Amino acid sequence: MTDSQAHEQVDGHSDFVEDLASLTPTVLASYSRIEDERLRELVTAAISHLHAFVREVGLTNQEWRQALEFVNALGRGAGPGSNRAMALSDLLGVSTLVCLLEDTAVTGGAHHTASSVLGPVWRQGAPFVESGGSLLRSETPGAPLFFTGRVLDTSGNPLPGVTVHVWQATPDGLYENQDAEQEEMNLRARFTTGADGTFQFRSVLPGGYPIPTVEPLGTMLRLAKRPAWRPAHIHFLLHREGLRTLVTQIFHPLDPHLHQDAAFGATKDLMMGGFEEHTGPAPEPGIEGTWYTAEETFVMVPGESVVPAAPIE
């Protein structure tokens, strides 16, 4: 029996590699039997591009082992409260790229609210709160914020019955899962839009923050001499049957880091200017000094309502 025959498989395909030139075609052929057409496309394209990258840069064994150690370090940092793989996707701009591509493909040019990154700290199970209620579960110092949201379809009609997930950081830039002093689910809530498509809540003005420079992500940022800041923002996830799930953010237009978002999430279409500063009588008694309002309209398009898996528990 020849070497080639020894590697022959029952379906007639061989994984035997003759030389450098034959390696990539041989590997691609070995995955060509994936039955799901889309999965086969994704896998074979990933292999093709990865092999092309290795050939282009002349990757060495030592460099490849360092790359694998980087991936392993991401896994070692995984846990119920941490998703470094998601953070890496954001830091490489891949999350925003997917959002922009999908927005263009799915909406067909219809006016809609732009998508943005989900981020690594969204959690399932935030409490349902009546419209006008508070995101605060514990005492959270900061300038009061009163938010009004309006959800419409592409024709400008109000959309009732939309579930709206909201989450944000404190003015100090900490999410509740990162801060032992905050109560469970502080600054997180779910709302349901009313007949007029609106929802409201009371919160505090969020602050910008440096993303946690845990390893190996911290080393990556330092080597690239990139700032680690995210500008002040509030996250929203909206879903209702028959509508494409909308994941987006609104940003404080005066945040000094608006044009230096480490996650590349502050795209042109999301630089919303709905925050307004006030002094004097506030919507709630007992508020003195500066307080803020913000109003935003969210436009959803028809499509599949899929709620993503939460990056953390």
Side-chain angles (χ1 to χ4, degrees), residues 30-108:
S30 72
Y31 287 93
S32 64
R33 298 184 297 276
I34 296 175
E35 293 184 0
D36 184 279
E37 183 177 353
R38 177 59 173 167
L39 179 60
R40 184 172 65 251
E41 178 186 11
L42 294 173
V43 170
T44 55
I47 293 170
S48 296
H49 287 286
L50 181 57
H51 280 225
F53 163 75
V54 172
R55 294 173 188 272
E56 178 184 342
V57 301
L59 200 69
T60 67
N61 266 307
Q62 177 62 18
E63 290 165 339
W64 183 235
R65 285 192 289 267
Q66 288 174 328
L68 294 177
E69 174 54 30
F70 182 91
V71 174
N72 286 333
L74 290 176
R76 286 194 294 270
S82 175
N83 191 321
R84 296 183 189 179
M86 177 76 81
L88 176 64
S89 174
D90 294 349
L91 294 177
L92 294 178
V94 177
S95 299
T96 294
L97 176 60
V98 172
C99 288
L100 293 172
L101 285 172
E102 191 172 86
D103 274 356
T104 302
V106 173
T107 60

Side-chain angles (χ1 to χ4, degrees), residues 177-188:
N177 62 293
Q178 301 168 332
D179 183 6
E181 294 187 5
Q182 294 185 52
E183 292 292 333
E184 181 81 359
M185 293 293 178
N186 189 42
L187 296 178
R188 299 178 187 266

Side-chain angles (χ1 to χ4, degrees), residues 107 110-113 152-157 159 243 298-302:
T107 60
H111 172 66
H112 68 288
T113 298
L152 307 176
D153 65 17
T154 54
S155 298
N157 301 310
L159 287 171
L243 298 171
F298 303 89
V299 179
M300 302 181 71
V301 299

Side-chain angles (χ1 to χ4, degrees), residues 201-286:
F201 61 81
R202 155 81 155 86
S203 187
V204 292
L205 191 70
Y209 54 86
I211 62 171
T213 52
V214 294
E215 296 304 335
L217 303 178
T219 296
M220 184 180 75
L221 289 172
R222 286 193 295 273
L223 290 173
K225 299 180 180 179
R226 288 196 58 212
W229 282 87
R230 290 224 67 203
H233 58 279
I234 303 175
H235 292 271
F236 296 86
L237 187 156
L238 300 86
H239 67 95
R240 197 190 82 173
E241 202 63 38
L243 298 171
R244 177 192 174 214
T245 298
L246 174 61
V247 178
T248 192
Q249 302 174 44
I250 63 169
F251 292 84
H252 194 308
L254 300 181
D255 189 286
H257 301 286
L258 188 62
H259 297 280
Q260 295 180 323
D261 185 0
F264 303 101
T267 61
K268 174 176 172 289
D269 290 339
L270 290 170
M271 292 184 182
M272 305 174 184
F275 291 87
E276 187 174 346
E277 182 180 319
H278 305 269
T279 56
E284 278 185 13

